[in-house]
Amino acid sequence: MASSTPTVSSDMASRKDPSSERLYLDARGYRCPLPVLKTRKRLELISDGEILTVLANDPAVYLDMTHFCLSNGHLLENWQKDGEVYTFSIRKGSPVDKGGPT
């Protein structure tokens, strides 16, 4: 009896969705300031309003990431700590207007 469920070739199944990869950053193993610098670079690749998920295990990353988001117009939607690993959900915002001359 033939299955009605479509099959996916192993070649197709092994490929990752490139759009989901650009919304995910694994910065575990990097120390300050690299997790924030890598986050900044990845945020440049996505559109305003999209959410980037970042994993990091630097002990100072919570303070660094919250300060980075506040000072650059991004919204820290959610964060959690599991053991030594922090997971951040950052909604990309527009750059903050620093109040310079218009």
Side-chain angles (χ1 to χ4, degrees):
M1 177 183 245
S3 170
S4 63
T5 306
T7 59
V8 177
S9 73
S10 61
D11 180 49
M12 290 294 286
S14 65
R15 293 184 196 172
K16 293 184 180 177
D17 178 8
S19 64
S20 65
E21 282 186 26
R22 63 185 190 91
L23 297 176
Y24 176 82
L25 173 64
D26 186 349
R28 292 177 292 182
Y30 293 102
R31 296 295 178 227
C32 180
L34 289 176
V36 169
L37 294 176
K38 289 182 173 291
T39 298
R40 178 188 310 268
K41 188 169 186 168
R42 183 62 57 91
L43 285 168
E44 292 174 359
L45 301 176
I46 69 175
S47 300
D48 287 354
E50 288 188 301
I51 296 176
L52 175 65
T53 300
V54 180
L55 275 67
N57 61 346
D58 177 45
V61 74
Y62 174 76
L63 291 174
D64 294 342
M65 202 65 75
T66 54
H67 176 74
F68 167 74
C69 289
L70 284 171
S71 62
N72 289 280
H74 307 300
L75 178 61
L76 183 56
E77 291 259 327
N78 190 18
W79 71 274
Q80 66 181 36
K81 185 177 181 191
D82 185 14
E84 294 181 7
V85 178
Y86 288 87
T87 303
F88 300 96
S89 296
I90 302 169
R91 183 176 301 275
K92 182 180 178 177
S94 299
V96 175
D97 180 8
K98 299 294 184 182
T102 55

